[in-house]
Amino acid sequence: MAIAIARCARATRPSSGWRSNWPSSCHLFLHCLAASGLADQAREAVGNKDWIVHSQTVGDGRQALRYLAPYVYRVAISNRRLVQCEPGPDGLGRVTFTYRKSGSRRWRAMTVTAEEFIRRFLQHVLPRGLQKVRHFGFAHPRTNVDHAWLEMLVTVTLNSVYVLVVAAPAWPVSPPPTCPTCGGALTYQGFLAASQERCMPTDTS
């Protein structure tokens, strides 16, 4: 919003009036200012000043994803990064852990009080009931989308070569039956028909 104000104010010079040369992209913002009764204050605060806007690109978001990726399935700090926990000279606990500066590959050690360590750690703890990762669409665990068909559609959309391999599906192999007493594998010895089983003599010894 500040950039929008700066751009609008820069397009206007004090001698040309505060609305005559405003870009069309600022009309909605000016309408909201007028509806809230802040148009006069905005005119005196930024409308009659010559602004110099400094805009700097932030990239395509890869740095943010690289920073947030370790926090998806892991906690803020692992046990191997905890170097030492000991009482300090003032009676407060001291925690020493390793960290790595942004853009550097060298690990450094930092010692803070136990309270400060807990404070930093709790900043990475999500509120109760907030889920870190939510899967939607074809990534949802209950989806019925065929992944082979989805792979083909993505490949065709990207104008890549899709190789279709036709092969018969493998028959599922069931595990061999086991003995309920010892747990050993049972081997097939033969088949006994029901009529023969009823005709077998009963052992009365």
Side-chain angles (χ1 to χ4, degrees):
M1 182 177 295
I3 295 178
I5 297 175
R7 288 178 178 174
C8 294
R10 188 183 181 187
T12 305
R13 293 293 182 261
S15 60
S16 61
W18 91 295
R19 279 183 179 270
S20 57
N21 295 331
W22 287 73
S24 58
S25 60
C26 297
H27 288 172
L28 179 60
F29 179 70
L30 294 177
H31 177 72
C32 295
L33 284 178
S36 59
L38 299 176
D40 295 336
Q41 298 180 15
R43 177 179 57 187
E44 296 180 0
V46 297
N48 295 330
K49 294 183 180 180
D50 190 12
W51 285 60
I52 299 177
V53 181
H54 174 69
S55 300
Q56 185 176 359
T57 179
V58 296
D60 55 359
R62 296 185 181 180
Q63 294 293 337
L65 290 178
R66 188 177 294 108
Y67 174 78
L68 295 175
Y71 295 99
V72 174
Y73 292 106
R74 287 182 282 175
V75 295
I77 186 172
S78 58
N79 292 335
R80 62 181 180 86
R81 291 177 53 191
L82 299 177
V83 178
Q84 192 175 13
C85 297
E86 60 180 358
D90 52 356
L92 301 178
R94 292 290 189 272
V95 180
T96 303
F97 60 94
T98 58
Y99 72 100
R100 190 168 55 185
K101 283 188 176 181
S102 179
S104 175
R105 296 186 177 182
R106 185 169 66 89
W107 289 93
R108 297 174 172 87
M110 177 184 294
T111 302
V112 296
T113 62
E115 294 181 356
E116 176 63 17
F117 179 80
I118 295 175
R119 186 190 68 83
R120 296 187 181 188
F121 185 84
L122 291 180
Q123 289 180 348
H124 299 83
V125 177
L126 296 177
R128 183 178 181 181
L130 182 61
Q131 186 175 351
K132 279 188 176 182
V133 181
R134 297 181 184 271
H135 298 280
F136 298 93
F138 66 89
H140 196 274
R142 296 185 181 179
T143 184
N144 295 325
V145 178
D146 188 3
H147 290 275
W149 175 257
L150 181 63
E151 181 181 355
M152 186 271 295
L153 292 179
V154 173
T155 307
V156 172
T157 304
L158 298 178
N159 296 326
S160 302
V161 179
Y162 181 77
V163 179
L164 180 62
V165 179
V166 180
W171 289 96
V173 179
S174 58
T178 58
C179 177
T181 303
C182 64
L186 299 180
T187 57
Y188 177 74
Q189 298 294 332
F191 178 76
L192 184 63
S195 58
Q196 297 179 4
E197 184 180 359
R198 286 193 294 267
C199 298
M200 290 181 61
T202 304
D203 187 6
T204 57
S205 59

